Amino acid sequence: FFFFFKQKTAYEIKECDRSSDGCSSDLIYFDYKFPKNCLLGITVDTENQLKKVVDFFDTKRAIESQSNAWLFDTFISFEPLLIEHLNLDLLHRIVKDIQWVIIGTMSGRNRIPSNIEQIRKIVKICNAPVFIKQLEINGKVEKDIYKFPEDLRLRNFPKKQN
């Protein structure tokens, strides 16, 4: 099972929302036991969101350490990857907490191109299986894995949990 949490963007936030996006402090009140075959995911497409995810994982680790209990496994989706200059220090702080990484470029007429070298850096740093959904190649969004550069032909899935 995959559960996916997307941080809200400015145009999705409403007055009645309790918070504008996933918040580390929400974990303190987290009282649901997910099965071991479940991954919770979050999208990171900007540097600011990556900083919030680092805080989230710091809080998760602290709660797990304090309670001596596993909370849940996680995946991260860099889709679309809009980070121009990836902060490698931030990424290094969370890679050990991630069981799967999904990477993709923005599609559509008004898309913002992604940096293929940033994608390579993410792949190199992450110890988890990586699934590259699509890349921008020669100004076009390409989904055919055989047209990807050879080192980025990755469509891996997380290991089955018991």
Side-chain angles (χ1 to χ4, degrees), residues 104-129:
T105 190
M106 184 182 265
S107 59
R109 199 170 1 143
N110 297 322
R111 73 179 183 276
I112 300 169
S114 57
N115 182 328
I116 204 158
E117 292 309 314
Q118 297 289 57
I119 293 170
R120 283 189 169 104
K121 287 178 185 178
I122 293 171
V123 169
K124 185 177 180 181
I125 290 172
C126 292
N127 297 325

Side-chain angles (χ1 to χ4, degrees), residues 68-105:
N68 200 24
W70 167 89
L71 291 178
F72 47 81
D73 286 336
T74 55
F75 72 92
I76 191 165
S77 173
F78 292 99
E79 185 191 0
L81 182 62
L82 302 177
I83 302 170
E84 192 171 326
H85 299 290
L86 187 65
N87 185 327
L88 299 180
D89 291 335
L90 289 177
L91 191 55
H92 276 292
R93 285 181 55 192
I94 63 173
V95 293
K96 64 181 174 276
D97 296 301
I98 300 168
Q99 283 71 43
W100 192 29
V101 179
I102 302 169
I103 303 172
T105 190

